[in-house]
Amino acid sequence: MITLLSNTSALLNENLSNINWLGFYLIEDGQLILGPFQGRPACTPIQIGKGVCGTSVEKDITQRIDDVQAFPGHIACDARSQSEIVIPMHRNGEVIGLLDIDAPIKGRFTADDQTGLESIMKILEKQIAQTVK
């Protein structure tokens, strides 16, 4: 799974403009632990239910945040980040982690970005289900 996540983070990082961090968090011992990523050092661990990432996992929803400063309880790992999209990752119907992407501009992520990234996550989830037992 680490290989799949590493290559996916590299591929997305190479093809998305105006981002400053992209990576995966995995659920381990009831919290989010940093997985493969591209960018500056990141916050870890993150408690489920805290910040954009923890809330996304707790509610099992994609979160597209136009202004992270306006999100109650936002965890600022990099002060340059202004907007964020977080998409839960599943295996066998259970949330096992997430994709997190930050941008240094407000309103970076569109509904089309969300649709495309969710489609990529579905492909990744199928690969994880087939290769990870």
Side-chain angles (χ1 to χ4, degrees):
M1 183 165 73
I2 296 301
T3 300
L4 289 169
L5 299 180
S6 296
N7 281 329
T8 301
S9 70
L11 177 70
L12 290 172
N13 190 61
E14 287 291 318
N15 289 285
L16 292 174
S17 61
N18 295 318
I19 64 169
N20 61 305
W21 196 91
L22 181 149
F24 292 92
Y25 281 90
L26 302 170
I27 296 175
E28 186 176 302
D29 297 327
Q31 58 189 353
L32 292 166
I33 302 297
L34 184 62
F37 71 96
Q38 310 284 317
R40 290 183 174 176
C43 299
T44 191
I46 296 174
Q47 300 305 311
I48 293 175
K50 303 292 183 188
V52 177
C53 291
T55 301
S56 180
V57 165
E58 181 179 61
K59 295 181 177 183
D60 192 7
I61 58 169
T62 295
Q63 297 222 88
R64 186 165 38 99
I65 309 299
D66 288 332
D67 180 358
V68 295
Q69 302 305 322
F71 186 90
H74 173 253
I75 300 169
C77 299
D78 183 346
R80 299 177 307 149
S81 295
Q82 298 295 311
S83 59
E84 184 171 11
I85 189 166
V86 177
I87 303 168
M89 180 172 57
H90 304 86
R91 181 174 59 217
N92 301 325
E94 179 182 341
V95 178
I96 61 166
L98 57 84
L99 170 65
D100 179 19
I101 308 174
D102 295 351
I105 56 176
K106 291 181 181 169
R108 160 60 183 89
F109 303 102
T110 65
D112 286 343
D113 290 326
Q114 180 175 336
T115 298
L117 290 166
E118 287 173 340
S119 295
I120 290 169
M121 289 301 289
K122 293 292 183 203
I123 294 167
L124 182 60
E125 289 171 343
K126 286 180 185 175
Q127 290 299 310
I128 290 170
Q130 291 175 1
T131 59
V132 179
K133 303 297 179 215

